[in-house]
């Protein structure tokens, strides 16, 4: 299970602002993921990475972008926040051999006003 | 792609046994895993099945039948702290491609 850290935990931001949600893991896992989850709803995969310089879009269309320059770091950026981006964003990582087992960060609750 | 179905709510009393079912439809399937999420918290991993059969981890067990595209999570000796949402998630290929999550089952444990 990963030690995975997300900052900030809570963020309220105005429409049109650019924001970056930080995610770091200390286990050296190759696979990292970003999920979006509305309250009481399922998790939707928005981005994933299988290693440095590898990024892919998930099943849920998202206006966010990600980068993976270092193994331990997988930030998510919204160039221009909108109220529809209000949600919880969960970062996760996994050992390559057992992708069924994800360790999640505590999440970032984003509110765009 | 994958789609998973699980009941939206289950209620049981403390000390009882409860089973949460999950059926899946996939274009490729490697295995099924289960996660628990308390209100306001992050999902935490409980169990997974890559092979048919039962996996037991303390009070929690998980079962998979590939021929039936079906799995379940069994919770024994229910405690109040088990009240949470439980998600099944399917992986689409060996090495753990992408995990697709079900919509979650809200378990309420009554005293």
């Amino acid at each position: 299970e990963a030690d995975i850290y997300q900052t900030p935990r809570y963020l309220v931001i105005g429409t049109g602002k650019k924001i970056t949600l930080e995610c770091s893991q200390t286990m050296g896992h190759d696979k990292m993921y970003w999920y979006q989850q509305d309250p009481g709803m399922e998790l939707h995969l928005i981005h994933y990475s299988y290693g440095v310089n590898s990024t892919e879009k998930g099943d849920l269309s998202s206006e966010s972008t990600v980068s993976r320059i270092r193994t331990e770091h997988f930030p998510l950026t919204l160039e221009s926040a909108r109220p529809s981006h209000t949600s919880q964003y969960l970062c996760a990582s996994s050992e390559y051999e057992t992708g069924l087992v994800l360790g999640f960060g505590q999440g970032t609750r984003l509110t765009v006003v | 792609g994958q789609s998973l179905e699980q009941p939206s709510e289950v209620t049981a009393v403390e000390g009882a046994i409860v089973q949460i079912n999950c059926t899946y439809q996939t274009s490729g399937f490697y295995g099924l895993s289960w996660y628990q999420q308390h209100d306001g918290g992050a999902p935490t991993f409980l169990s997974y099945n890559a092979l048919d059969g039962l996996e037991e981890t303390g009070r929690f067990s998980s079962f998979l039948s590939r021929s039936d595209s079906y799995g379940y999570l069994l919770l024994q000796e229910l405690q109040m702290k088990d009240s949470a949402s439980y998600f099944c998630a399917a992986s689409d290929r060996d090495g753990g491609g992408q995990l697709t999550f079900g919509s979650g089952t809200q378990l309420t444990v009554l005293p």
Side-chain angles (χ1 to χ4, degrees):
Chain A
E1 192 171 334
D3 290 322
I4 188 161
Y5 307 98
Q6 290 186 243
T7 56
R9 287 290 312 277
Y10 303 92
L11 180 62
V12 180
I13 198 165
T15 298
K17 299 293 186 183
K18 177 180 179 179
I19 57 171
T20 295
L21 308 185
E22 300 290 346
C23 176
S24 296
Q25 50 100 358
T26 62
M27 299 295 287
H29 290 170
D30 286 319
K31 291 189 172 181
M32 295 190 74
Y33 309 82
W34 277 102
Y35 284 87
Q36 185 175 342
Q37 184 184 32
D38 292 326
M41 304 296 285
E42 65 208 273
L43 286 76
H44 292 285
L45 181 66
I46 51 175
H47 296 284
Y48 61 99
S49 168
Y50 288 163
V52 171
N53 294 325
S54 153
T55 61
E56 300 286 345
K57 287 186 180 292
D59 295 331
L60 182 67
S61 175
S62 173
E63 294 164 337
S64 58
T65 59
V66 291
S67 62
R68 190 84 184 277
I69 298 172
R70 303 196 317 266
T71 297
E72 62 271 22
H73 195 213
F74 191 40
L76 180 145
T77 298
L78 277 167
E79 291 292 334
S80 179
R82 295 210 300 266
S84 60
H85 295 140
T86 295
S87 189
Q88 174 162 253
Y89 294 84
L90 291 158
C91 183
S93 74
S94 174
E95 296 178 71
Y96 185 81
E97 295 79 10
T98 55
L100 280 166
V101 182
L102 298 185
F104 283 88
Q106 287 302 303
T108 294
R109 288 193 179 274
L110 174 65
T111 303
V112 184
V113 297
Chain B
Q2 316 223 23
S3 74
L4 298 95
E5 289 192 15
Q6 49 183 130
S8 59
E9 295 178 343
V10 172
T11 301
V13 296
E14 212 171 2
I17 299 172
V18 73
Q19 179 174 310
I20 299 173
N21 298 320
C22 176
T23 58
Y24 59 87
Q25 291 183 323
T26 66
S27 57
F29 178 81
Y30 175 67
L32 196 70
S33 54
W34 290 90
Y35 291 79
Q36 177 192 62
Q37 185 178 30
H38 286 98
D39 280 348
T44 57
F45 170 77
L46 294 175
S47 183
Y48 82 87
N49 298 75
L51 301 174
D52 282 3
L54 190 68
E55 290 286 337
E56 297 181 80
T57 310
R59 293 189 299 115
F60 297 159
S61 303
S62 59
F63 173 83
L64 176 66
S65 169
R66 288 170 174 267
S67 60
D68 296 320
S69 296
Y70 164 75
Y72 66 72
L73 179 70
L74 191 73
L75 296 87
Q76 303 182 69
E77 302 173 16
L78 281 175
Q79 301 174 10
M80 299 294 289
K81 67 178 182 180
D82 297 330
S83 291
S85 291
Y86 292 85
F87 294 88
C88 59
S91 178
D92 64 353
R93 60 183 168 90
D94 193 3
Q98 306 167 45
L99 268 190
T100 300
F101 282 78
S103 54
T105 298
Q106 177 65 50
L107 171 65
T108 301
V109 180
L110 302 174

